Amino acid sequence: MSNSQIVKDPIREEILNGARELFERFGFKKTTMEDIARQIGKSKSALYYYYKTKEEIFEAVILNDIEASQAKVADAVKKESSALSKFRVLFTSLLEDVKYKANKFSIFKTDLYENHFLFENIVKKRDSYIEELIKDILILGISQQEVKMMNNAEMSLWAKMMNITLKGTANKIFLEDEFNLTNSQLVFIADTYFNGVRS
Amino acid sequence: MSNSQIVKDPIREEILNGARELFERFGFKKTTMEDIARQIGKSKSALYYYYKTKEEIFEAVILNDIEASQAKVADAVKKESSALSKFRVLFTSLLEDVKYKANKFSIFKTDLYENHFLFENIVKKRDSYIEELIKDILILGISQQEVKMMNNAEMSLWAKMMNITLKGTANKIFLEDEFNLTNSQLVFIADTYFNGVRS
DNA sequence: TTTCGACCAATTTGGTTTATTGGTCAAAGG
DNA sequence: CCTTTGACCAATAAACCAAATTGGTCGAAA
């Protein structure tokens, strides 16, 4: 992705690493630009040479993290050959990742509620990425005669719906500590979405 | 349901009607107990003879409304005979209802963000109701050999997942004005969840 | 049984002052 | 030319406080 340009520059990388550590500990609001600058031993103004706004830094931090996750997921999906197992792996690894991040990034729950505008771009990018991934699985499945014929609009719609499902589930996992799904449950869910409940 | 006791008393009904009008216009926070009392020509203290807290009134107002919707949905579902068409009707009528309410209750978007604790009980009740409805459809489908064999845990899990999907979709419709689904799209979605995408 | 006004504690509001913060800029270093 | 900086500003947030509201209680009246 063209976004990997963001970390081409070692100083940008330094900024993002420093920022990430602070964001993870204190959240978006309580992390000031001076905090970030101090963290890497530079002055506040220096940050503005590399990033236009605080939001841009935050977005870059999160986006970096998301892209790493997505690369892992895409890799795992690529390893599978059938559409079903690709879909299964997509489903499980995506939600496994969320489970992990629910612990690590619990501080962002607050930001998620209070500053959800911060995540607008991030969410939009992530959505379209996931939906493309799902659509690709469908296309492959059709070409392998594993998936029934669908037109483009239908594929997009199904991908969007699956993404909503994924996000709804992720949300529940992320925000409600009680909600936990075992791996075999995730597999069951993915399979049932793929195969339906019809006898 | 035992909740219909809530409106057994004509004065309670009067309170709820007055309260509903104000809540719909001003939301939860900006509607005071005195406003509600004035609306029905009684004193504030009188309200406390019937309801313990302001939250309880709000909950009763919303619950009344939800129960009416649910009765309609349940009726529509009952009219269908196959599990697939039941599921289809459940899906479409539930989301049709949300589309309608997104206009009528747009004031609650604020409350939804700022006072989501208010909806905790409501959501819990609604969830279990919908999940039971879905599970019943599965059970019937299995008995009609229309749906593949599943054990109880699997049925519950699928019902829960479908509810998450439904809620995710409803949320998108309710909070994002752009997101609109035609009836034929809803039918496609429901059918595809039921039948899967397998060829 | 039902209604009410007086009452209270807690929260909210409105307004002011002070401190912090995001962001700009011209100048200086390398 | 690229990078860094401190001084600076406008805007927001925090701290504070007094006054007004508001949710909820209670004894008494109807």
Side-chain angles (χ1 to χ4, degrees), chain B residues 11 41-46 49-50:
Chain B
I11 298 187
K42 287 193 187 292
S43 102
K44 189 179 60 164
S45 316
Y49 183 74
Y50 298 94

Side-chain angles (χ1 to χ4, degrees), chain A residues 67-81:
Chain A
E67 273 165 25
S69 295
Q70 284 176 346
K72 256 193 259 175
V73 171
D75 267 5
V77 167
K78 207 179 288 174
K79 282 201 188 93
E80 304 295 324
S81 53

Side-chain angles (χ1 to χ4, degrees), chain A residues 11 29 41-46 49-50:
Chain A
I11 298 187
K29 234 184 140 187
K42 288 192 187 293
S43 101
K44 188 179 61 163
S45 317
Y49 183 74
Y50 297 94

Side-chain angles (χ1 to χ4, degrees), chain A residues 32-131:
Chain A
T32 74
M33 290 298 269
E34 272 191 15
D35 290 339
I36 299 173
R38 205 179 314 119
Q39 179 83 0
I40 61 170
K42 288 192 187 293
S43 101
K44 188 179 61 163
S45 317
L47 300 180
Y48 285 96
Y49 183 74
Y50 297 94
Y51 292 99
K52 268 201 284 292
T53 63
K54 186 182 170 189
E55 281 84 359
E56 198 176 307
I57 295 181
F58 184 78
E59 215 177 288
V61 166
I62 302 288
L63 234 40
N64 259 4
D65 187 90
I66 284 184
E67 273 165 25
S69 295
Q70 284 176 346
K72 256 193 259 175
V73 171
D75 267 5
V77 167
K78 207 179 288 174
K79 282 201 188 93
E80 304 295 324
S81 53
S82 76
L84 171 59
S85 52
K86 274 176 191 287
F87 182 70
R88 209 188 260 166
V89 163
L90 173 76
F91 212 91
T92 52
S93 59
L94 225 39
L95 289 179
E96 215 54 66
D97 186 57
V98 168
K99 218 185 289 180
Y100 166 70
K101 281 180 182 157
N103 293 330
K104 197 176 170 195
F105 297 134
S106 59
I107 184 77
F108 291 144
K109 290 179 191 178
T110 315
D111 292 324
L112 216 52
Y113 274 122
E114 290 171 3
N115 304 89
H116 44 93
F117 75 94
L118 270 177
F119 297 87
E120 259 175 34
N121 283 329
I122 297 168
V123 166
K124 219 171 277 176
K125 277 191 189 176
R126 195 194 138 95
D127 278 352
S128 62
Y129 181 81
I130 300 285
E131 282 165 27

Side-chain angles (χ1 to χ4, degrees), chain B residues 162-181:
Chain B
M162 281 318 310
N163 186 30
I164 287 175
T165 300
L166 244 0
K167 278 167 68 174
T169 314
N171 226 36
K172 247 193 136 165
I173 292 175
F174 194 72
L175 298 178
E176 295 173 28
D177 300 325
E178 347 124 20
F179 196 67
N180 231 348
L181 290 171

